[in-house]
Amino acid sequence: MTEKHIVLEDIDPVMLYGAGNGHLQIIKSLYPKLRVVARGNVLRILGDQEQMDRFEQCIEQMRQHVLKYNNITEEDIIDIVNGRKTNADGVKGVIVYSITGRPIKARSENQQRLVEAYEKSDMVFAIGPAGTGKTYTAIALAVKALKEKTARKIILCRPAVEAGEKLGFLPGDMKDKIDPYLQPLYDSLEDMLPQVKLQEMMERKVIQIAPLAFMRGRTLSDAVVILDEAQNTTPAQIRMFLTRMGWNTKMMITGDLTQVDLPKGQRSGLREAFDLLHDIEGISFIEMNQKDIVRHKLVTRIVNAYEKYDKDRKEIQQYEKNESINNN
């Protein structure tokens, strides 16, 4: 009889062991000739060498399953032990899985175009109204790259531009003042990565979230870099950001040109980049619209109402301008 230790890396062992060690009991019952003892993320196995080798292969498959799908069921465990594909393996078009095991995939035609553009281009712009899934899809693609080890880190940033409330009026130190601007990025990450794992990745700087100003002087290599709310960058800021790109890096820039919070008269950097870079090889632009909105149905109606208002206001302003010219 021999002994072996298996270390469960990159996953929460509780997810594999199951509630009340329910999954672990099933695993033990499937290998009755082995003695299996779990201590934290270490499995201690005693028994026949051939049985132990098979057991270790199956545990590695289960670990990979948990890492990919953020979930594992009793049926999955039995399928893996019996050499069959699990039900999750048959689902197509999934980018990543949420922490509850929900498949996250493109939910509209333009979201699918965004996924395809990411595969073929190193720089992708996703422009469209609120609720079209621009940021969420981009972060899902970044998490997938991290899990598949095609990128070593994720860097997420936003311009810290006030939309009504001033930074100086918010309580706390600089981090406390900036965090509210970055909260939507935290929310998306928390939906895709277990809290303990996310915290660990942030402490190790595998995932970095920072205001745009913190990007100056850096060269970003081996990373997926996302600039969110890019409509609130100035031309100088977005030029600085885009030129941070290093080797083996993908950049995704998301924004909504109808929600610019810059001072009146200040041109949006996103608008300028759209005009200047639209025909450059290796850069993709995906323009989203109301059909891509995946939030509450009222969001679509609100976006439509505001677009109609903006259009009517522009027509009135143009009419008044023409009348003024004619009267003079």
Side-chain angles (χ1 to χ4, degrees), residues 123-312:
M123 185 177 291
V124 180
F125 287 78
I127 301 171
T132 51
K134 306 180 297 294
T135 303
Y136 193 77
T137 304
I139 290 179
L141 289 166
V143 170
K144 179 184 180 184
L146 204 59
K147 289 191 171 192
E148 294 180 350
K149 301 188 185 304
T150 57
R152 291 173 54 194
K153 56 183 177 281
I154 298 173
I155 301 172
L156 310 171
C157 62
R158 272 185 159 204
V161 176
E162 296 95 346
E165 188 172 17
K166 298 294 183 183
L167 267 174
F169 297 157
L170 296 173
D173 58 18
M174 180 56 73
K175 181 180 183 303
D176 295 328
K177 292 174 184 292
I178 287 170
D179 271 357
Y181 293 94
L182 307 177
Q183 192 58 49
L185 305 180
Y186 289 114
D187 291 343
S188 296
L189 286 170
E190 287 170 354
D191 194 32
M192 301 175 201
L193 292 168
Q195 183 61 44
V196 174
K197 188 65 179 176
L198 174 58
Q199 189 63 37
E200 177 193 335
M201 286 179 166
M202 293 184 70
E203 288 173 359
R204 290 168 43 219
K205 305 294 185 183
V206 174
I207 295 178
Q208 304 171 26
I209 305 179
L212 177 60
F214 288 21
M215 295 297 106
R216 186 173 297 278
R218 299 183 64 182
T219 299
L220 309 174
S221 300
D222 297 313
V224 178
V225 188
I226 298 174
L227 172 60
D228 192 33
E229 300 289 351
Q231 76 276 4
N232 288 329
T233 61
T234 65
Q237 285 175 329
I238 201 164
R239 180 188 296 188
M240 178 273 292
F241 173 81
L242 296 178
T243 54
R244 299 307 93 199
M245 192 174 193
W247 294 106
N248 191 37
T249 288
K250 294 219 175 216
M251 279 189 167
M252 287 184 281
I253 300 92
T254 67
D256 177 4
L257 287 169
T258 68
Q259 293 188 350
V260 178
D261 298 315
L262 293 169
K264 189 174 181 180
Q266 174 68 67
R267 181 170 169 80
S268 167
L270 179 61
R271 167 56 66 187
E272 183 170 281
F274 181 86
D275 294 340
L276 290 174
L277 308 178
H278 209 284
D279 297 322
I280 292 182
E281 185 179 353
I283 301 178
S284 293
F285 283 83
I286 307 300
E287 296 182 64
M288 296 179 163
N289 53 50
Q290 294 90 333
K291 293 180 181 179
D292 301 300
I293 293 177
V294 292
R295 292 181 187 168
H296 194 285
K297 60 185 178 182
L298 282 178
V299 175
T300 303
R301 297 173 188 170
I302 291 169
V303 170
N304 286 337
Y306 272 100
E307 284 197 349
K308 183 178 184 303
Y309 169 77
D310 290 339
K311 181 180 178 182
D312 291 346

Side-chain angles (χ1 to χ4, degrees), residues 43-98:
L43 288 170
R44 177 170 169 256
I45 313 103
L46 294 92
D48 174 72
Q49 184 64 50
E50 186 177 343
Q51 283 276 313
M52 287 172 59
D53 290 343
R54 289 175 56 194
F55 178 87
E56 186 174 15
Q57 290 175 3
C58 286
I59 289 296
E60 174 58 19
Q61 286 181 263
M62 293 176 201
R63 187 191 70 83
Q64 292 285 352
H65 190 282
V66 171
L67 189 64
K68 181 175 182 180
Y69 300 116
N70 280 326
N71 187 36
I72 193 166
T73 66
E74 296 177 5
E75 291 78 12
D76 294 331
I77 290 170
I78 294 169
D79 285 339
I80 289 171
V81 172
N82 290 321
R84 298 191 297 260
K85 283 189 174 183
T86 65
N87 290 333
D89 289 331
V91 181
K92 296 182 179 179
V94 177
I95 303 172
V96 290
Y97 285 78
S98 74

